[in-house]
Amino acid sequence: MRESFAEIIHEFGDAGMLGQVLSKNRLRVWGFLRHAPICTLTKDLASFCVPNLFDLIATTPTQQPVALTIAGSDSSAGAGIQADLKTFSALGVYGTTAITAIVAEVPGEVSAIQSISSKLLQSHIQSVTKTFPVNHGKTGMLANRENVEVVAEFLAENSGFTLVVDPVFRASAGAELLSADGVATLKESVLPLAALVTPNLFESEILLGTSIKSESDLQAAPRRLYEKYGSSFLVKGGHFQSSSDDLVDYWCINGTEGECRHPRLPVSDTHGTGCTLSAAITAFLAHGLPMDEAIAKGTRFLAASLSSRLEWDTPAGSIAALNHFPNGVDFPDT
């Protein structure tokens, strides 16, 4: 039987903690609200004797981990900073941003890209990190060498900052999202300072300088990348053509190897999956989870977002997007 709103809030037994209940259990609350008639909600609130719900929430501040995403803006909101912010929010992390580029895109098509100046990007990063208690972040699209240099300089000056690098070289639609000299600078100045790098098959081949043709090549790639750049790597197997019903992501964390194996979902539109996975891993790291657990939980979050994806029928055909607030995803333990 579906739990009631009253059952959720009565767990704490104290009306003064309702704001904390709503924050920490918002996925459970939202799951109830989506299915409950308003009369049931009103009855539950009345039974809890809350005279003014909004005043109570406003006077009960809560703290969340804070994370920074340094990435491009996606007009379709399926990838880029929009996907990152939704993922952070779904997993109980307050998201901040430093925008590298503004991209006009929808799944399958990039129509225009305007890079942000490196000076403005630097101001974004400095203003956020000087104001908020942010020690975790991720990068996505960096666009050009100058922006990569800004990130490298920030990392060099902030050795305690935990950065997950999603090395976005091109969009799923094929558009170039990082210049050739930007790729070279990323390899030299950013990857050695990253806590984790999350390349897909194509990006792994660029970083290795060789093709990945077999399952054994894919499995060996994280170790080879770790030895080459000195950082932990998660090599995603989603684009690897295999007859197996399972999709396997391989990782090498500080020299220790492992894998995440899960059923391959029958979906063709994967716009924003790389952004979402790296953001989810960043969120779990911000909650204090060790790297291997953050990877495992991040992978499960992405699978849930894919399996409950959103779809619309339009005059131009059907379109789909990841559901960044899937049901059944537990709020991270802290």
Side-chain angles (χ1 to χ4, degrees), residues 5 8-26 29 48-50 53 55-62:
F5 184 73
I8 296 173
I9 59 180
H10 271 296
E11 283 185 12
F12 279 68
D14 181 355
M17 298 184 70
L18 181 57
Q20 181 177 348
V21 177
L22 293 178
S23 175
K24 192 168 181 63
N25 296 274
R26 68 183 182 282
V29 172
F48 198 60
C49 301
V50 179
L53 175 63
D55 285 348
L56 183 57
I57 294 174
T59 57
T60 312
T62 60

Side-chain angles (χ1 to χ4, degrees), residues 4-331:
S4 72
F5 184 73
E7 287 173 331
I8 296 173
I9 59 180
H10 271 296
E11 283 185 12
F12 279 68
D14 181 355
M17 298 184 70
L18 181 57
Q20 181 177 348
V21 177
L22 293 178
S23 175
K24 192 168 181 63
N25 296 274
R26 68 183 182 282
L27 292 179
R28 292 168 60 200
V29 172
W30 175 240
F32 171 76
L33 294 179
R34 289 177 62 191
H35 299 88
I38 189 64
C39 58
T40 303
L41 174 60
T42 304
K43 180 180 178 181
D44 283 342
L45 284 175
S47 70
F48 198 60
C49 301
V50 179
N52 192 323
L53 175 63
F54 295 102
D55 285 348
L56 183 57
I57 294 174
T59 57
T60 312
T62 60
Q63 286 194 354
Q64 287 185 324
V66 182
L68 169 65
T69 170
I70 306 172
S73 173
D74 170 18
S75 56
S76 75
I81 61 166
Q82 288 85 350
D84 295 341
L85 289 176
K86 286 186 282 187
T87 300
F88 288 164
S89 181
L91 296 175
V93 170
Y94 184 84
T96 59
T97 63
I99 300 176
T100 61
I102 299 172
V103 184
E105 70 174 321
V106 294
E109 180 183 0
V110 175
S111 55
I113 298 174
Q114 177 63 59
S115 298
I116 298 296
S117 73
S118 58
K119 184 176 181 180
L120 181 56
L121 174 62
Q122 186 177 47
S123 295
H124 280 190
I125 296 173
Q126 289 178 345
S127 63
V128 168
T129 56
K130 287 181 179 179
T131 305
F132 288 88
V134 53
N135 297 305
H136 296 79
K138 61 149 291 186
T139 62
M141 174 187 179
L142 294 177
N144 54 48
R145 175 180 55 81
E146 292 79 9
N147 285 348
V148 176
E149 289 174 343
V150 168
V151 174
E153 181 180 348
F154 170 75
L155 286 177
E157 295 174 352
N158 296 272
S159 58
F161 192 87
T162 299
L163 185 71
V164 175
V165 175
D166 181 14
V168 178
F169 297 157
R170 71 181 183 190
S172 55
E176 181 183 274
L177 300 181
L178 182 61
S179 61
D181 58 349
V183 173
T185 304
L186 186 80
K187 291 179 180 180
E188 179 181 351
S189 302
V190 174
L191 298 191
L193 301 178
L196 179 71
V197 188
T198 63
N200 60 25
L201 181 66
F202 166 75
E203 294 155 354
S204 296
E205 291 177 330
I206 295 296
L207 295 177
L208 282 171
T210 186
S211 298
I212 296 175
K213 298 181 179 180
S214 66
E215 185 76 31
S216 60
D217 288 344
L218 184 67
Q219 185 174 3
R223 162 68 66 175
R224 295 173 60 195
L225 288 164
Y226 168 75
E227 292 174 348
K228 183 173 183 177
Y229 295 101
S231 297
S232 299
F233 272 81
L234 169 68
V235 174
K236 299 172 291 190
H239 293 100
F240 184 75
Q241 298 299 318
S242 171
S243 59
S244 172
D245 292 333
D246 288 341
L247 187 155
V248 186
D249 301 326
Y250 294 101
W251 50 258
C252 182
I253 302 171
N254 296 325
T256 300
E257 297 176 68
E259 66 179 46
C260 289
R261 183 179 297 270
H262 43 92
R264 186 181 293 271
L265 298 173
V267 296
S268 57
D269 191 339
T270 57
H271 180 65
T273 52
C275 304
T276 299
L277 176 59
S278 56
I281 293 171
T282 303
F284 286 118
L285 290 174
H287 276 288
L289 272 64
M291 184 66 75
D292 58 340
E293 290 185 28
I295 290 174
K297 287 181 177 288
T299 301
R300 289 199 293 271
F301 176 82
L302 175 59
S305 298
L306 270 170
S307 62
S308 62
R309 64 194 178 279
L310 309 172
E311 295 183 349
W312 301 270
D313 290 325
T314 73
S318 63
I319 189 169
L322 292 177
N323 178 7
H324 290 95
F325 298 92
N327 290 327
V329 177
D330 293 332
F331 196 95

